[in-house]
Amino acid sequence: MWTTGAEQVEQAVAECVELLGAVTGRDWEGVRAGRLEWSCRRTAVHIAEDLIAYAGQLAGREQESYAPFELVLEEGAGNADALRVIGTTGALLAAAVRTTPREVRAFHPYPFRSANREGFAAMGVAEVLLHTHDVAEGLGLAYEPAPGLCDFVLTRIFPHVRPGESPWRTLLWATGRGELPGRPPVAGWRWSNNLVLGTERLTLQGVTPAAAADLAAVGDGGFAWIEGGPVEGTRVGAGLVHQQYEDGVHLPEWGMYVLVRREDGRAIGAMGFHGVPDAQGRVEVGYDLVEGARGRGHATEALVALSRWALDRPQVRTVVANVERGNTPSQNVLARAGFARVAEDPGHLAYELREPGEG
């Protein structure tokens, strides 16, 4: 069953509070938190700071920057009090995730300057897991969170990281906190929220590996579809995206996007790339719509936006598309979007759209 992430926030916080609650009588201020420069006490407070910051972004619908406030514990607050604040701020983030509508996005800098409720939940869980690890390492405690929590984080905000046998070990490696056989150490890292592109009537919402797996398994991927959706082509494409993720070759902005109507937040189809641009700067695009959404220009509108975005990338010179010879509606979409027919075979027609100035 699809989840927005509120339950994962609550579970991660509960595990953190239970583990560290057993050692509140120890010195946290004078002990360094694992590999961090911070003390265990400072790191615990930082967990609460992140949780309340993410809750504030969602609740306030912040669009341009972080809301200008900070969390400060009262003078004399002890380690047990710090854990109480982690529990409270975790509850606030979970509540914000539960009550924020699906289509709302709020400011976060990495990497595309916004995240939805699921992204903020995944970031909150990541902060709790990783910094609980740091504190536990500093205090000499054994800690390994539930695998499902790690998988929740990896499949939503680490789409570029190839899965490993252990989700926890993979997350530690991806954040410079551990090693994985056959993979080089990670020196610098950032997570990656999904890219969303806007048009007049639509948003093109990047599909995470979690959503791709759900769509491929006959779920809805966390989207509210119009009747008849998603269609089989979307499910097949989602399966390919998830396979790329498992193979470690998925770059999220070159994957699949679900087309969502602004007027009602309903998903009407999907569009995306078959893979990353090749050495010649060519990238192939494909798309489909639920039958009830066809004939209204949505595909053309989305294709213009996605093609323009691709041609604005330095590694792309040409967007290509291949359609069946008998698929006249799709051919018309390509023509309206400015594509030119460049080749054909008995079964298919090939179209191209080049960057301005390209012959």
Side-chain angles (χ1 to χ4, degrees):
M1 183 176 179
W2 192 257
T3 176
T4 61
E7 296 87 352
Q8 283 74 18
V9 170
E10 292 168 337
Q11 182 181 354
V13 167
E15 291 185 3
C16 166
V17 171
E18 180 180 9
L19 177 75
L20 300 183
V23 292
T24 54
R26 293 176 55 180
D27 176 19
W28 291 13
E29 191 64 61
V31 178
R32 182 172 166 178
R35 305 183 187 189
L36 303 183
E37 296 296 329
W38 294 338
S39 70
C40 290
R41 166 73 174 203
R42 177 68 189 90
T43 304
V45 173
H46 178 73
I47 294 173
E49 290 173 337
D50 283 330
L51 293 170
I52 192 61
Y54 295 157
Q57 292 303 99
L58 279 178
R61 310 292 194 260
E62 296 289 338
Q63 297 299 308
E64 301 299 329
S65 64
Y66 277 111
F69 71 91
E70 62 179 341
L71 180 146
V72 179
L73 270 62
E74 291 184 348
E75 186 176 353
N79 295 334
D81 296 316
L83 291 184
R84 286 175 56 200
V85 176
I86 290 174
T88 298
T89 53
L92 289 172
L93 177 56
V97 170
R98 283 196 174 95
T99 56
T100 298
R102 178 188 296 106
E103 297 306 304
V104 168
R105 297 185 73 84
F107 173 82
H108 187 278
Y110 305 140
F112 304 117
R113 296 184 62 81
S114 74
N116 61 10
R117 62 187 183 183
E118 198 174 317
F120 278 106
M123 291 186 290
V125 171
E127 294 286 358
V128 175
L129 301 187
L130 295 171
H131 290 314
T132 301
H133 162 78
D134 297 331
V135 175
E137 190 172 53
L139 296 174
L141 304 175
Y143 171 66
E144 182 165 344
L149 292 177
C150 307
D151 190 63
F152 176 82
V153 171
L154 289 167
T155 57
R156 286 158 175 83
I157 58 173
F158 286 90
H160 50 292
V161 173
R162 177 166 55 89
E165 292 184 6
S166 165
W168 178 227
R169 299 301 165 197
T170 302
L171 182 58
L172 290 176
W173 170 82
T175 56
R177 289 170 168 83
E179 298 179 354
L180 280 183
R183 302 196 198 186
V186 173
W189 61 274
R190 284 180 176 173
W191 51 52
S192 180
N193 282 289
N194 65 324
L195 175 62
V196 172
L197 304 174
T199 72
E200 181 180 357
R201 297 181 295 167
L202 303 169
T203 56
L204 284 67
Q205 302 187 16
V207 172
T208 64
D214 191 64
L215 285 167
V218 202
D220 59 18
F223 297 93
W225 292 83
I226 65 171
E227 185 178 355
V231 298
E232 183 61 23
T234 295
R235 298 201 183 281
V236 171
L240 295 175
V241 167
H242 192 258
Q243 186 61 57
Q244 290 174 345
Y245 166 68
E246 291 192 325
D247 292 341
V249 297
H250 176 55
L251 290 181
E253 60 266 40
W254 300 108
M256 172 183 283
Y257 296 79
V258 167
L259 313 185
V260 179
R261 292 190 304 216
R262 289 184 182 273
E263 65 183 51
D264 59 3
R266 307 281 282 185
I268 62 172
M271 182 175 292
F273 303 105
H274 291 188
V276 300
D278 64 19
Q280 288 71 47
R282 295 167 60 86
V283 64
E284 185 174 354
V285 68
Y287 49 88
D288 57 25
L289 291 184
V290 179
E291 185 174 357
R294 297 172 186 170
R296 295 172 173 82
H298 289 115
T300 300
E301 185 175 326
L303 183 58
V304 168
L306 191 60
S307 299
R308 183 182 299 121
W309 178 86
L311 289 171
D312 282 343
R313 305 309 105 190
Q315 64 269 49
V316 175
R317 300 176 62 185
T318 309
V319 181
V320 303
N322 292 285
V323 298
E324 294 180 350
R325 182 177 288 275
N327 190 347
T328 302
S330 187
Q331 295 167 31
N332 291 339
V333 167
L334 290 163
R336 288 193 296 268
F339 283 68
R341 195 169 82 182
V342 295
E344 59 184 277
D345 62 29
H348 294 83
L349 304 176
Y351 288 77
E352 288 185 352
L353 180 67
R354 294 178 175 270
E355 64 178 344
E358 289 288 327

